[in-house]
Amino acid sequence: MEPVVQFDNVNKSYGKHVAVDNLNLSIEPGKFVTLLGPSGCGKSTSLRMLGGFETPTSGRIMLSGKDVTRVPPNKRNVNIVFQDYALFPHMSVAKNIAFGLELKGFDNQRIHRRVSELLELVQLQDYATRLPAELSGGQRQRVALMRALAPDPDVLLLDEPLSALDAKLRQQMQIELKAIQEKTGKTFMFVTHDQEEALTMSDTIVVMNKGRIEQMGDPNTLYGRPGSVFVANFIGETNLLRSTVISSEGDVAALNWNGITITANPGGLTPRHGEHLYVVLRPEAIHCSAAEPVSGNRVKGKIRQRVFKGNHTSLMVEVGGGALLNTLVHPSDVAQLGGEDIWLGWKPETTTVIPDRHAHN
Amino acid sequence: MRNTVSDGPRTTLTAFYWAFILYLLLPLTLMMAMSFKDANFVAFPIGDWTLDWYAKVMQDKQFLEACLYSIMIAAASTLAATTLGTWIAMLIVADGIRGRTIIFALACLPAVVPGMISAISLRIFISTIDMPTGTAAIILGHTVHAVPFVVVMALTRLRSMPRNLVDAARDLGADGVVAFFRVTLPYLGPALLGGMIFCVLLSIDDFVRTFFLGGYRPTLPMLIFAKVQGGMSPEINAMATIVLVVTAAVGLYAEFITRRARTR
């Protein structure tokens, strides 16, 4: 399918500071794509360049097959949901939503129909005549979303729109956003620094760091098979085991980590003896038990810290040499562990191996 | 017991406060009281009361004409000052403008220059460009004087305006002009209305600039001045009372509007 958005070698720098470094990205229509990264990684700049509020220093941006690199914001068919919503304070909810439609030259009847249709989509029919100041945060969020959707943009851009909401409302809005995206079939390009938001809603996550794409893929792949230390650390909680290669044959590599021998699948890598590797071990992949596991990687340890988190308990286990492993245990299983001395075991296939050369971050 | 110590300064402060209020209001009260006196001389005792002076003022053609003239000048200079002031404020907050401090300082200068100096320099200026004294010159002078107040009020409001508001309008298809008239201007609305009322009051009240720039047609302050020259009469008191009540009402309303704008 022809991509709806395409960044070709896009660069953006402010003086000496490089905000976006040779970005190449194409987005298929109808997808929920998230640009994820820490602040200053270039995600918002990329979004603003697509919106027309920044001009790339070099490169080309295509929208629905047309070059829009230098087209002003009012002449391109994308709309933004701003972080602070930017609702017009002197206009009613209905007027806010109608704004883009009026500028498109639609007749009153058509505008009215479209506005009611959109208000119905988010169940705000009864609020049409209210001013933005009279709405709650969640309602303002929905109005901003509908205002941006009203003119039927090729892509809807969302610039950290949930960051102003409290935790509970944010979770609710995540589900609602995804539902609206599926219902309307629109392409959503969402920018956030919150990995949980990205995992919940996205079809594709683009992890950005220092102006470049670090890794791109669906949430499962990014979480389960991170391609770099940065991604492994940024998405979810993780244990990074820096190991030395003892031997490697096909799918099995024997590694020395912290004085013990563990095995892992090196994936596509062909590590040599003595080379350093990182093994990504997610806390939930570790099985804690009182007795020594019969197979897989295992290590004896001592519980140093317990943090009760409701649906699970987080254990910090010291495994010798000062190394700590972060693990998750179901609260009811904690008692069965007996004492402080426990065994940790994990299956080699649950880990991912990352070469050390990517570890410069 | 403890209060005897702290009450001393407090009582003094309260006393000074009331003394100051009295000092502020006494001349105005006297003026208003005299406008109801049924005699030709402005002096105590008042004796009989009457509304005749007001009836006389309302039939005074000179007074009504001066009022109309003052209002016309106020309207014209307010319109000009608001347009100019808004434009300057927009310029100051615009991206990539260099020397915004200088622009701001220049725009505010007429508010701090003594009225006398400002009047003389304006008079010199109009004779240099061969502009006759009269209506146009007065409007010019009043406009220059009023611009700083509009700039300050518009700037305060503009600075509290979310940056993204104009971006959102542009994003939804508005060009710069449409975004200004449909988003920025309505947002500035309350502040501009307050500023405009302020301009009107400044213009109606102005004497020095009008005196230096005016022709033969008197504005309201000039008419009252001329009448005072010819001797005090309760008719002048009635005139001044009318002006006082009207301007105070308008001023209070302006204050109310700007207050609402600040809290919204």
Side-chain angles (χ1 to χ4, degrees):
Chain A
M1 218 187 288
E2 197 201 5
V4 59
V5 172
Q6 205 176 328
F7 287 82
D8 287 338
N9 303 315
V10 171
N11 288 283
K12 177 71 186 176
S13 39
Y14 301 97
K16 272 188 182 162
H17 173 70
V18 179
V20 173
D21 187 1
N22 205 31
L23 180 71
N24 281 290
L25 174 66
S26 55
I27 293 172
E28 278 176 46
K31 289 275 193 268
F32 197 122
V33 179
T34 300
L35 300 187
L36 173 68
S39 59
C41 73
K43 57 190 193 302
S44 281
T45 310
S46 306
L47 187 94
R48 287 182 66 81
M49 283 195 287
L50 183 54
F53 294 103
E54 305 278 352
T55 313
T57 313
S58 67
R60 192 173 63 150
I61 298 172
M62 308 282 284
L63 182 67
S64 304
K66 275 182 296 183
D67 186 345
V68 295
T69 316
R70 267 155 231 293
V71 175
N74 49 325
K75 297 258 168 66
R76 48 174 97 185
N77 206 14
V78 294
N79 290 124
I80 302 186
V81 178
F82 290 91
Q83 192 169 3
D84 57 359
Y85 316 145
L87 293 173
F88 305 130
H90 57 286
M91 293 184 202
S92 68
V93 165
K95 277 276 169 201
N96 262 284
I97 298 176
F99 191 85
L101 301 169
E102 285 167 17
L103 287 167
K104 276 201 152 186
F106 288 5
D107 61 64
N108 284 338
Q109 213 182 356
R110 195 164 159 204
I111 292 174
H112 186 76
R113 216 178 322 125
R114 178 84 175 135
V115 170
S116 341
E117 175 191 309
L118 289 166
L119 282 173
E120 212 167 302
L121 188 64
V122 286
Q123 276 126 44
L124 286 175
Q125 304 95 310
D126 302 337
Y127 294 82
T129 55
R130 299 265 189 113
L131 287 176
E134 300 164 330
L135 301 179
S136 71
Q139 290 168 336
R140 269 180 232 178
Q141 168 72 72
R142 291 186 186 96
V143 174
L145 184 65
M146 289 308 117
R147 182 180 70 176
L149 271 177
D152 201 24
D154 293 344
V155 189
L156 187 77
L157 309 179
L158 303 106
D159 189 5
E160 308 215 17
L162 305 182
S163 55
L165 304 176
D166 62 65
K168 198 121 197 175
L169 194 54
R170 200 181 314 155
Q171 282 186 344
Q172 199 184 316
M173 280 307 296
Q174 285 172 18
I175 295 163
E176 196 171 327
L177 259 182
K178 181 67 184 161
I180 288 169
Q181 191 265 334
E182 277 168 359
K183 214 185 282 179
T184 56
K186 281 267 155 243
T187 313
F188 276 33
M189 193 163 151
F190 189 90
V191 158
T192 184
H193 62 268
D194 184 324
Q195 47 101 14
E196 190 209 312
E197 265 174 33
L199 290 174
T200 315
M201 297 184 287
S202 318
D203 294 314
T204 305
I205 300 176
V206 181
V207 183
M208 290 186 74
N209 183 30
K210 295 176 179 169
R212 267 174 297 192
I213 293 180
E214 192 80 25
Q215 192 180 356
M216 183 173 163
D218 62 276
N220 256 319
T221 310
L222 284 188
Y223 186 82
R225 296 273 173 261
S228 70
V229 171
F230 179 82
V231 175
N233 272 326
F234 201 78
I235 298 182
E237 288 192 38
T238 197
N239 296 294
L240 274 179
L241 318 181
R242 189 166 192 268
S243 320
T244 317
V245 179
I246 301 169
S247 68
S248 171
E249 245 188 74
D251 282 353
V252 186
L255 309 164
N256 178 348
W257 170 66
N258 204 26
I260 64 162
T261 304
I262 57 172
T263 56
N265 183 345
L269 305 170
T270 49
R272 281 173 319 218
H273 176 79
E275 199 177 315
H276 293 298
L277 291 175
Y278 279 101
V279 175
V280 177
L281 176 59
R282 297 288 182 188
E284 68 275 15
I286 300 176
H287 180 73
C288 299
S289 56
E292 183 176 353
V294 287
S295 66
N297 294 312
R298 51 198 178 270
V299 59
K300 213 170 154 60
K302 205 177 185 67
I303 299 174
R304 285 292 174 216
Q305 195 183 37
R306 301 158 191 258
V307 182
F308 178 66
K309 293 191 172 168
N311 58 354
H312 70 263
T313 298
S314 170
L315 299 180
M316 289 302 280
V317 183
E318 191 185 324
V319 292
L324 288 167
L325 284 181
N326 184 5
T327 71
L328 296 185
V329 182
H330 195 272
S332 61
D333 293 344
V334 176
Q336 291 168 23
L337 291 175
E340 299 296 291
D341 294 301
I342 57 165
W343 281 93
L344 306 178
W346 68 92
K347 295 183 177 127
E349 61 268 26
T350 58
T351 59
T352 308
V353 169
I354 300 170
D356 195 17
R357 64 169 182 276
H358 278 306
H360 56 263
N361 294 308
Chain B
M1 194 177 74
R2 169 180 56 94
N3 284 346
T4 45
V5 183
S6 62
D7 268 358
R10 204 162 161 189
T11 317
T12 322
L13 209 63
T14 317
F16 270 121
Y17 172 73
W18 285 111
F20 178 64
I21 296 285
L22 201 69
Y23 168 66
L24 269 182
L25 293 183
L26 204 56
L28 293 176
T29 318
L30 267 179
M31 180 196 79
M32 287 167 89
M34 289 299 170
S35 70
F36 298 104
K37 187 188 174 185
D38 193 5
N40 278 327
F41 301 104
V42 179
F44 279 113
I46 288 180
D48 293 323
W49 302 83
T50 178
L51 282 172
D52 283 356
W53 295 113
Y54 284 91
K56 203 168 172 203
V57 166
M58 292 323 279
Q59 283 156 16
D60 184 346
K61 248 187 138 178
Q62 259 189 324
F63 172 75
L64 294 178
E65 256 170 35
C67 274
L68 224 62
Y69 188 49
S70 270
I71 289 169
M72 192 270 278
I73 286 172
S77 62
T78 297
L79 199 69
T82 309
T83 313
L84 260 171
T86 308
W87 180 70
I88 293 170
M90 293 286 294
L91 196 70
I92 290 171
V93 295
D95 287 328
I97 290 289
R98 255 184 279 181
R100 59 184 84 211
T101 351
I102 296 170
I103 300 174
F104 181 70
L106 280 177
C108 289
L109 203 58
V112 287
V113 169
M116 190 68 193
I117 306 294
S118 157
I120 294 172
S121 61
L122 277 164
R123 178 60 189 261
I124 296 171
F125 175 70
I126 63 160
S127 41
T128 313
I129 61 167
D130 277 338
M131 187 180 189
T133 55
T135 311
I138 298 175
I139 292 173
L140 177 79
H142 288 191
T143 303
V144 170
H145 184 46
V147 160
F149 299 94
V150 178
V151 171
V152 169
M153 290 188 95
L155 260 186
T156 315
R157 185 79 173 146
L158 272 178
R159 292 213 164 111
S160 76
M161 179 163 154
R163 257 196 79 86
N164 284 339
L165 234 44
V166 172
D167 280 357
R170 302 267 291 141
D171 186 60
L172 290 164
D175 58 27
V177 179
V178 173
F180 175 76
F181 281 105
R182 293 208 48 188
V183 175
T184 311
L185 207 54
Y187 188 84
L188 285 179
L192 288 186
L193 197 59
M196 285 168 88
I197 292 175
F198 211 76
C199 292
V200 169
L201 295 183
L202 280 176
S203 169
I204 300 256
D205 176 58
D206 184 81
F207 180 78
V208 184
R209 289 172 189 78
T210 316
F211 189 74
F212 273 79
L213 300 169
Y216 299 107
R217 231 175 127 185
T219 63
L220 198 53
M222 287 171 83
L223 180 79
I224 295 177
F225 178 70
K227 287 203 180 236
V228 171
Q229 295 286 25
M232 292 300 286
S233 124
E235 191 195 344
I236 300 173
N237 290 43
M239 242 179 229
T241 304
I242 294 171
V243 175
L244 174 72
V245 170
V246 171
T247 51
V250 173
L252 283 175
Y253 180 65
E255 178 61 21
F256 167 72
I257 287 190
T258 40
R259 242 166 227 262
R260 200 180 53 178
R262 251 180 264 135
T263 51
R264 246 221 311 228

Coordinates of all heavy atoms in Angstrom, one line a residue, chain B residues 48-108:
Chain B
D48 N -31.6 77.6 49.8 CA -32.6 76.8 49.0 C -31.9 75.9 47.9 O -30.9 76.2 47.4 CB -33.5 77.8 48.2 CG -34.4 78.6 49.2 OD1 -34.8 78.0 50.3 OD2 -34.6 79.8 49.0
W49 N -32.6 74.8 47.7 CA -32.1 73.8 46.7 C -32.9 73.9 45.4 O -34.0 74.2 45.4 CB -32.2 72.4 47.3 CG -31.4 72.2 48.5 CD1 -31.9 72.6 49.8 CD2 -30.1 71.8 48.7 NE1 -30.9 72.3 50.7 CE2 -29.8 71.8 50.1 CE3 -29.1 71.3 47.8 CZ2 -28.6 71.4 50.6 CZ3 -27.9 70.9 48.3 CH2 -27.7 70.9 49.7
T50 N -32.2 73.6 44.3 CA -32.9 73.6 43.0 C -32.2 72.7 42.0 O -31.0 72.4 42.1 CB -33.0 75.1 42.4 OG1 -33.6 75.0 41.2 CG2 -31.6 75.6 42.2
L51 N -33.0 72.4 40.9 CA -32.4 71.6 39.8 C -32.3 72.5 38.6 O -31.9 72.0 37.5 CB -33.2 70.4 39.5 CG -33.1 69.2 40.4 CD1 -34.1 68.1 40.1 CD2 -31.7 68.6 40.3
D52 N -32.5 73.8 38.8 CA -32.6 74.7 37.6 C -31.3 74.8 36.9 O -31.3 74.9 35.6 CB -32.9 76.2 38.2 CG -34.3 76.3 38.5 OD1 -35.1 75.3 38.2 OD2 -34.8 77.4 39.0
W53 N -30.2 74.7 37.6 CA -28.9 74.8 36.9 C -28.7 73.7 35.9 O -28.1 73.9 34.8 CB -27.7 74.8 37.9 CG -27.8 76.0 38.8 CD1 -28.0 76.1 40.1 CD2 -27.6 77.4 38.4 NE1 -28.0 77.4 40.6 CE2 -27.8 78.2 39.5 CE3 -27.4 78.0 37.1 CZ2 -27.7 79.6 39.5 CZ3 -27.3 79.4 37.1 CH2 -27.4 80.2 38.3
Y54 N -29.2 72.5 36.3 CA -29.1 71.3 35.4 C -29.9 71.6 34.2 O -29.5 71.3 33.0 CB -29.5 70.0 36.1 CG -28.4 69.6 37.0 CD1 -28.4 69.9 38.4 CD2 -27.4 68.7 36.5 CE1 -27.4 69.5 39.2 CE2 -26.4 68.3 37.4 CZ -26.4 68.7 38.7 OH -25.4 68.3 39.5
A55 N -31.1 72.1 34.4 CA -32.0 72.4 33.2 C -31.3 73.4 32.3 O -31.4 73.3 31.1 CB -33.3 72.9 33.8
K56 N -30.7 74.4 32.9 CA -30.0 75.4 32.1 C -28.9 74.8 31.3 O -28.7 75.1 30.1 CB -29.5 76.5 33.1 CG -29.3 77.8 32.4 CD -29.0 78.9 33.4 CE -28.6 80.1 32.6 NZ -27.9 81.1 33.4
V57 N -28.1 73.9 32.0 CA -27.0 73.3 31.3 C -27.5 72.5 30.1 O -26.9 72.5 29.0 CB -26.2 72.4 32.2 CG1 -25.2 71.5 31.5 CG2 -25.4 73.2 33.3
M58 N -28.6 71.7 30.3 CA -29.0 70.9 29.2 C -29.6 71.7 28.0 O -29.7 71.2 26.9 CB -30.1 69.9 29.7 CG -29.6 68.9 30.7 SD -28.0 68.2 30.4 CE -28.4 67.0 29.1
Q59 N -29.9 73.0 28.3 CA -30.4 73.8 27.2 C -29.3 74.7 26.6 O -29.5 75.4 25.6 CB -31.5 74.7 27.7 CG -32.9 74.0 27.8 CD -33.8 74.6 28.8 OE1 -33.6 75.8 29.2 NE2 -34.8 73.9 29.3
D60 N -28.1 74.6 27.2 CA -27.0 75.4 26.8 C -26.4 74.8 25.5 O -25.8 73.7 25.5 CB -25.9 75.4 27.9 CG -24.8 76.3 27.6 OD1 -24.6 76.7 26.4 OD2 -24.0 76.6 28.5
K61 N -26.6 75.5 24.4 CA -26.2 75.0 23.1 C -24.7 74.8 23.0 O -24.1 73.9 22.5 CB -26.6 76.0 22.0 CG -27.7 75.3 21.1 CD -28.0 76.2 19.9 CE -28.1 75.3 18.7 NZ -28.4 76.0 17.5
Q62 N -24.0 75.8 23.6 CA -22.5 75.8 23.6 C -22.0 74.5 24.3 O -21.1 73.8 23.9 CB -22.0 77.0 24.4 CG -21.5 78.1 23.6 CD -20.8 79.1 24.5 OE1 -21.2 79.4 25.6 NE2 -19.8 79.7 23.9
F63 N -22.6 74.2 25.5 CA -22.2 73.0 26.3 C -22.5 71.7 25.4 O -21.6 70.9 25.3 CB -23.0 72.9 27.6 CG -22.9 71.7 28.3 CD1 -21.7 71.4 29.0 CD2 -23.8 70.7 28.3 CE1 -21.5 70.2 29.7 CE2 -23.7 69.5 29.0 CZ -22.5 69.3 29.7
L64 N -23.7 71.6 24.8 CA -24.0 70.4 24.1 C -23.1 70.3 22.9 O -22.6 69.2 22.6 CB -25.5 70.5 23.6 CG -26.5 70.4 24.8 CD1 -27.9 70.5 24.2 CD2 -26.3 69.2 25.6
E65 N -22.8 71.4 22.2 CA -21.9 71.3 21.1 C -20.5 70.9 21.5 O -19.8 70.0 20.8 CB -21.8 72.7 20.4 CG -22.6 72.7 19.1 CD -22.7 74.1 18.6 OE1 -21.7 74.9 18.7 OE2 -23.8 74.4 18.0
A66 N -20.0 71.4 22.6 CA -18.7 71.1 23.1 C -18.6 69.6 23.5 O -17.6 68.9 23.2 CB -18.3 71.9 24.3
C67 N -19.7 69.1 24.1 CA -19.8 67.7 24.4 C -19.7 66.8 23.2 O -18.9 65.9 23.1 CB -21.2 67.4 25.1 SG -21.2 67.6 26.8
L68 N -20.5 67.2 22.2 CA -20.5 66.4 20.9 C -19.1 66.4 20.3 O -18.6 65.4 19.8 CB -21.5 67.0 20.0 CG -22.4 66.0 19.2 CD1 -23.2 65.3 20.2 CD2 -23.2 66.8 18.2
Y69 N -18.4 67.6 20.3 CA -17.1 67.7 19.7 C -16.1 66.9 20.5 O -15.3 66.1 19.9 CB -16.7 69.2 19.8 CG -15.4 69.6 19.0 CD1 -15.2 69.1 17.7 CD2 -14.4 70.3 19.6 CE1 -14.1 69.4 17.0 CE2 -13.3 70.7 19.0 CZ -13.1 70.2 17.7 OH -12.0 70.5 17.0
S70 N -16.2 66.9 21.8 CA -15.3 66.1 22.6 C -15.5 64.6 22.3 O -14.5 63.8 22.2 CB -15.5 66.4 24.1 OG -14.7 67.4 24.5
I71 N -16.7 64.2 22.3 CA -17.0 62.8 22.0 C -16.5 62.4 20.6 O -15.9 61.3 20.5 CB -18.5 62.5 22.1 CG1 -18.9 62.6 23.6 CG2 -18.9 61.2 21.6 CD1 -20.4 62.6 23.8
M72 N -16.7 63.2 19.7 CA -16.2 62.9 18.3 C -14.7 62.8 18.3 O -14.2 61.8 17.7 CB -16.6 64.1 17.4 CG -16.5 63.8 15.9 SD -14.8 64.2 15.3 CE -15.1 66.0 15.0
I73 N -14.0 63.7 18.9 CA -12.5 63.6 19.0 C -12.1 62.3 19.8 O -11.2 61.6 19.3 CB -11.9 64.8 19.7 CG1 -12.0 66.0 18.7 CG2 -10.5 64.6 20.1 CD1 -11.7 67.3 19.3
A74 N -12.8 62.0 20.9 CA -12.5 60.8 21.7 C -12.7 59.6 20.8 O -11.8 58.7 20.8 CB -13.4 60.8 22.9
A75 N -13.8 59.5 20.1 CA -14.0 58.3 19.3 C -13.0 58.1 18.2 O -12.4 57.0 18.1 CB -15.4 58.5 18.6
A76 N -12.6 59.2 17.5 CA -11.6 59.1 16.4 C -10.2 58.7 17.0 O -9.6 57.8 16.5 CB -11.5 60.4 15.7
S77 N -9.8 59.4 18.1 CA -8.5 59.1 18.6 C -8.5 57.7 19.2 O -7.4 57.0 19.2 CB -8.1 60.2 19.6 OG -8.9 60.2 20.7
T78 N -9.6 57.3 19.8 CA -9.6 55.9 20.4 C -9.5 54.9 19.3 O -8.7 53.9 19.5 CB -11.0 55.7 21.2 OG1 -11.0 56.6 22.2 CG2 -11.1 54.3 21.7
L79 N -10.2 55.1 18.3 CA -10.1 54.1 17.2 C -8.7 54.0 16.6 O -8.1 52.9 16.5 CB -11.1 54.6 16.0 CG -11.5 53.5 15.0 CD1 -12.4 52.5 15.7 CD2 -12.1 54.1 13.8
A80 N -8.1 55.2 16.4 CA -6.7 55.2 15.9 C -5.7 54.6 16.9 O -4.9 53.8 16.5 CB -6.3 56.6 15.6
A81 N -5.9 55.0 18.2 CA -4.9 54.5 19.2 C -5.1 53.0 19.4 O -4.1 52.2 19.6 CB -5.2 55.2 20.5
T82 N -6.3 52.4 19.3 CA -6.5 51.0 19.5 C -5.9 50.2 18.4 O -5.2 49.2 18.6 CB -8.0 50.7 19.6 OG1 -8.6 51.6 20.6 CG2 -8.3 49.3 20.0
T83 N -6.1 50.7 17.2 CA -5.6 50.0 16.0 C -4.0 50.0 16.1 O -3.4 49.0 16.0 CB -6.0 50.7 14.7 OG1 -7.4 50.9 14.8 CG2 -5.7 49.9 13.5
L84 N -3.5 51.2 16.3 CA -2.0 51.3 16.4 C -1.5 50.5 17.6 O -0.5 49.8 17.4 CB -1.7 52.8 16.6 CG -1.2 53.6 15.4 CD1 -1.1 55.0 15.8 CD2 0.1 53.0 14.9
G85 N -2.1 50.6 18.7 CA -1.6 50.0 19.9 C -1.6 48.5 19.8 O -0.7 47.8 20.2
T86 N -2.7 47.9 19.2 CA -2.8 46.5 19.0 C -1.7 46.0 18.1 O -1.1 45.0 18.3 CB -4.2 46.1 18.4 OG1 -5.2 46.7 19.2 CG2 -4.4 44.6 18.4
W87 N -1.5 46.8 17.0 CA -0.5 46.4 16.0 C 0.9 46.4 16.7 O 1.7 45.5 16.5 CB -0.6 47.4 14.9 CG 0.4 47.1 13.8 CD1 0.4 46.1 13.0 CD2 1.6 47.9 13.5 NE1 1.5 46.1 12.1 CE2 2.2 47.2 12.4 CE3 2.2 49.1 14.0 CZ2 3.4 47.7 11.9 CZ3 3.3 49.5 13.5 CH2 3.9 48.9 12.4
I88 N 1.2 47.4 17.5 CA 2.5 47.5 18.1 C 2.7 46.3 19.1 O 3.7 45.6 19.2 CB 2.7 48.8 18.9 CG1 2.8 50.0 17.8 CG2 3.9 48.8 19.7 CD1 2.7 51.3 18.4
A89 N 1.6 46.0 19.9 CA 1.7 44.9 20.8 C 1.9 43.6 20.1 O 2.7 42.7 20.5 CB 0.4 44.8 21.6
M90 N 1.2 43.4 19.0 CA 1.4 42.2 18.1 C 2.9 42.1 17.6 O 3.5 41.0 17.6 CB 0.5 42.2 16.9 CG -1.0 42.0 17.2 SD -1.5 40.4 17.7 CE -1.2 39.5 16.2
L91 N 3.4 43.2 17.3 CA 4.8 43.3 16.8 C 5.7 42.9 17.9 O 6.7 42.2 17.6 CB 5.0 44.7 16.3 CG 6.3 44.9 15.4 CD1 6.0 44.3 14.1 CD2 6.6 46.4 15.3
I92 N 5.5 43.4 19.1 CA 6.4 43.1 20.2 C 6.4 41.6 20.5 O 7.5 41.0 20.9 CB 6.0 43.9 21.4 CG1 6.3 45.4 21.1 CG2 6.8 43.5 22.7 CD1 5.8 46.4 22.2
V93 N 5.3 40.9 20.5 CA 5.3 39.5 20.8 C 5.6 38.6 19.6 O 5.8 37.4 19.8 CB 3.9 39.0 21.5 CG1 3.7 39.7 22.8 CG2 2.8 39.2 20.5
A94 N 5.7 39.2 18.4 CA 5.9 38.3 17.3 C 7.3 37.6 17.3 O 8.2 38.1 18.0 CB 5.8 39.2 16.0
D95 N 7.4 36.5 16.7 CA 8.7 35.7 16.6 C 9.7 36.5 15.8 O 9.3 37.2 14.8 CB 8.5 34.4 16.0 CG 7.8 33.4 17.0 OD1 8.0 33.6 18.2 OD2 7.0 32.6 16.5
G96 N 10.9 36.4 16.2 CA 12.0 36.9 15.3 C 12.0 38.4 15.2 O 12.5 38.9 14.2
I97 N 11.5 39.1 16.1 CA 11.5 40.6 16.1 C 12.7 41.0 16.9 O 12.8 40.7 18.1 CB 10.2 41.2 16.6 CG1 9.1 41.0 15.7 CG2 10.4 42.7 16.9 CD1 9.2 41.8 14.4
R98 N 13.6 41.8 16.3 CA 14.7 42.3 17.1 C 14.4 43.7 17.7 O 13.7 44.4 17.1 CB 16.0 42.3 16.3 CG 16.9 41.2 16.6 CD 18.2 41.3 15.9 NE 18.0 40.7 14.5 CZ 19.0 40.6 13.7 NH1 20.2 41.0 13.9 NH2 18.8 40.1 12.5
G99 N 15.0 44.0 18.8 CA 14.8 45.3 19.4 C 13.4 45.5 19.9 O 12.9 46.6 19.9
R100 N 12.7 44.4 20.5 CA 11.4 44.6 21.0 C 11.3 45.5 22.2 O 10.4 46.2 22.5 CB 10.7 43.3 21.2 CG 11.4 42.4 22.2 CD 10.7 41.0 22.3 NE 11.2 40.1 21.3 CZ 10.4 39.2 20.7 NH1 9.2 39.0 21.1 NH2 10.9 38.3 19.8
T101 N 12.5 45.5 23.0 CA 12.5 46.4 24.2 C 12.5 47.9 23.7 O 11.8 48.7 24.4 CB 13.8 46.2 24.9 OG1 14.5 45.1 24.4 CG2 13.5 46.0 26.4
I102 N 13.2 48.1 22.6 CA 13.2 49.5 22.1 C 11.8 49.9 21.6 O 11.3 51.0 21.9 CB 14.2 49.7 21.0 CG1 15.6 49.4 21.6 CG2 14.2 51.1 20.4 CD1 16.7 49.3 20.6
I103 N 11.2 49.0 20.9 CA 9.8 49.3 20.4 C 8.9 49.6 21.5 O 8.1 50.6 21.5 CB 9.3 48.1 19.5 CG1 10.2 47.8 18.3 CG2 7.8 48.4 19.1 CD1 9.8 46.6 17.6
F104 N 9.0 48.7 22.6 CA 8.1 48.9 23.7 C 8.4 50.2 24.4 O 7.5 51.0 24.8 CB 8.4 47.7 24.7 CG 7.5 47.8 25.9 CD1 6.1 47.6 25.8 CD2 8.0 48.0 27.2 CE1 5.3 47.6 27.0 CE2 7.3 48.1 28.3 CZ 5.9 47.9 28.2
A105 N 9.7 50.6 24.6 CA 10.0 51.8 25.3 C 9.5 53.0 24.5 O 8.9 53.9 25.1 CB 11.5 51.9 25.4
L106 N 9.7 53.0 23.2 CA 9.2 54.1 22.4 C 7.7 54.2 22.4 O 7.1 55.3 22.5 CB 9.6 53.9 20.9 CG 11.1 54.2 20.6 CD1 11.4 53.9 19.1 CD2 11.3 55.7 20.9
A107 N 7.0 53.1 22.4 CA 5.5 53.1 22.4 C 5.0 53.7 23.7 O 4.0 54.3 23.8 CB 5.0 51.7 22.1
C108 N 5.8 53.4 24.8 CA 5.3 53.8 26.1 C 5.7 55.3 26.5 O 5.2 55.8 27.4 CB 5.8 52.9 27.2 SG 5.0 51.3 27.1

